[in-house]
Amino acid sequence: MSARRARVGILISGRGSNMKALVEGSHAPDCPYEVVLVASNNPDAPGIAYARDQGIATFAQSHKGIDRAAFDALIARALRDAEVEWVALAGYMRLLSGEFIAGWAGRIVNIHPSLLPAYRGLDTHARALAAGETRHGCTVHFVTPELDAGPVVAQSEVPVLAVDTPQTLETRVLDAEHRLYPRALADLILAHHDKR
Ligand code: GRF
């Protein structure tokens, strides 16, 4: 592995527990990435406070009253200024414009709380329970303009228990997300560097 670590920017809208898992993962001595910026469309996102406490640069501005292309351009500018090479979405609750995504083509990923292609979109845990699934989980995938439809990078499966509620299932899946995302991003970056 080269000594230089890939520069990662993370986009969040809220709690930021996956962002925190990515930051914690980056502290491993052999981790191939460092988190150089956390950006949010929600200035009050708890994850922004965490990032600041960690000494990570932040960009936090509400999208309200700004059209999508203009807002995405603001985020892209912040990422470019921080020399971000890889973008990781972690609970970023807005669609990104095709132009933004093209700027990091093949280097922009998301984590989604289902075994894609099953259950794209919201309320994945309630929908999986209602459908009587016996297995559920999470997926890291490349971001494309179509929501939750990009190529799968890695998945982690959890069992669905008879006693599960959407909340207990969410807790089990979230735990799997926190283990999967740092590992999947690190593997992806290492594979990318090997190909160069
Ligand atoms: C996670 O379940 C993630 O899979 C989904 O949104 C949620 C974000 O949670 N995209 P957090 O902000 O990372 O805690």
Side-chain angles (χ1 to χ4, degrees):
M1 195 186 89
S2 68
R4 198 184 72 77
R5 302 200 289 158
R7 298 174 67 82
V8 169
I10 304 178
L11 269 51
I12 65 169
S13 293
R15 180 175 55 185
S17 69
N18 277 289
M19 177 270 295
K20 184 172 175 218
L22 289 170
V23 169
E24 285 173 355
S26 76
H27 295 153
D30 58 347
C31 183
Y33 70 84
E34 60 181 319
V35 178
V36 296
L37 183 75
V38 174
S40 181
N41 64 314
N42 170 13
D44 301 323
I48 286 293
Y50 168 82
R52 285 193 183 123
D53 283 350
Q54 293 291 307
I56 299 169
T58 57
F59 170 92
Q61 185 178 322
S62 171
H63 60 274
K64 289 186 187 138
I66 308 176
D67 77 44
R68 187 180 309 282
F71 187 74
D72 285 2
L74 286 177
I75 297 215
R77 168 53 44 212
L79 293 166
R80 294 283 175 216
D81 286 349
E83 298 178 10
V84 164
E85 300 164 287
W86 290 77
V87 175
L89 309 188
Y92 187 66
M93 301 304 285
R94 273 174 67 76
L95 277 175
L96 288 163
S97 56
E99 194 181 342
F100 180 97
I101 294 166
W104 280 273
R107 287 176 293 116
I108 176 167
V109 290
N110 179 44
I111 186 143
H112 181 75
S114 77
L115 297 172
L116 290 173
Y119 308 112
R120 292 175 183 163
L122 298 174
D123 298 325
T124 58
H125 311 302
R127 286 156 62 206
L129 275 181
E133 303 284 0
T134 56
R135 46 187 279 282
H136 187 45
C138 53
T139 303
V140 174
H141 66 93
F142 286 109
V143 174
T144 59
E146 195 182 345
L147 183 69
D148 302 330
V152 169
V153 173
Q155 294 187 308
S156 176
E157 196 175 308
V158 304
V160 180
L161 308 181
V163 293
D164 268 331
T165 64
Q167 289 71 34
T168 60
L169 190 52
E170 177 185 354
T171 301
R172 191 174 311 116
V173 171
L174 197 58
D175 192 51
E177 292 179 39
H178 297 161
R179 281 178 277 119
L180 179 69
Y181 208 0
R183 204 178 64 220
L185 182 61
D187 287 350
L188 202 53
I189 288 169
L190 286 173
H192 187 86
H193 284 196
D194 285 349
K195 273 191 270 168
R196 290 196 305 192

